[in-house]
Amino acid sequence: MDIVSIVLGVLALVTALTPFIWLQVIGGFVGIAGIVLARRAKKADYRKSLTTAIGMLCSVTGALLCFVAPVLSLISNIALAFMTK
């Protein structure tokens, strides 16, 4: 489960950099799934602290970026629309 959380976190990070908002939202939910799996792996075996920490870090960062990037994109598009008028 700890390796799967790392993979899901990396997928969330990659989808945060795509220009498609729907893909970023899906990546955010993938990041949340990575967070859940990292927590379960940590509870199941406390000795896997390094891999679960990496999975948690990647998943949290990916989920945050996936949910913040569309908001920033919409704000910049609104600002651009007002600046061109």
Side-chain angles (χ1 to χ4, degrees):
M1 266 192 299
D2 52 341
I3 303 298
V4 176
S5 70
I6 294 172
V7 171
L8 291 177
V10 169
L11 283 175
L13 284 170
V14 169
T15 58
L17 302 175
T18 61
F20 305 112
I21 291 176
W22 59 271
L23 193 58
Q24 291 172 344
V25 172
I26 292 171
F29 290 119
V30 168
I32 290 172
I35 293 169
V36 170
L37 286 178
R39 288 182 56 135
R40 285 186 184 171
K42 181 74 171 182
K43 285 183 182 179
D45 189 4
Y46 69 91
R47 294 172 292 177
K48 295 183 177 182
S49 64
L50 180 64
T51 54
T52 55
I54 293 171
M56 183 69 78
L57 179 68
C58 289
S59 297
V60 167
T61 306
L64 285 177
L65 285 176
C66 282
F67 287 132
V68 169
V71 173
L72 292 177
S73 175
L74 289 174
I75 290 171
S76 68
N77 286 338
I78 291 170
L80 185 63
F82 281 121
M83 289 172 45
T84 56
K85 289 186 177 182

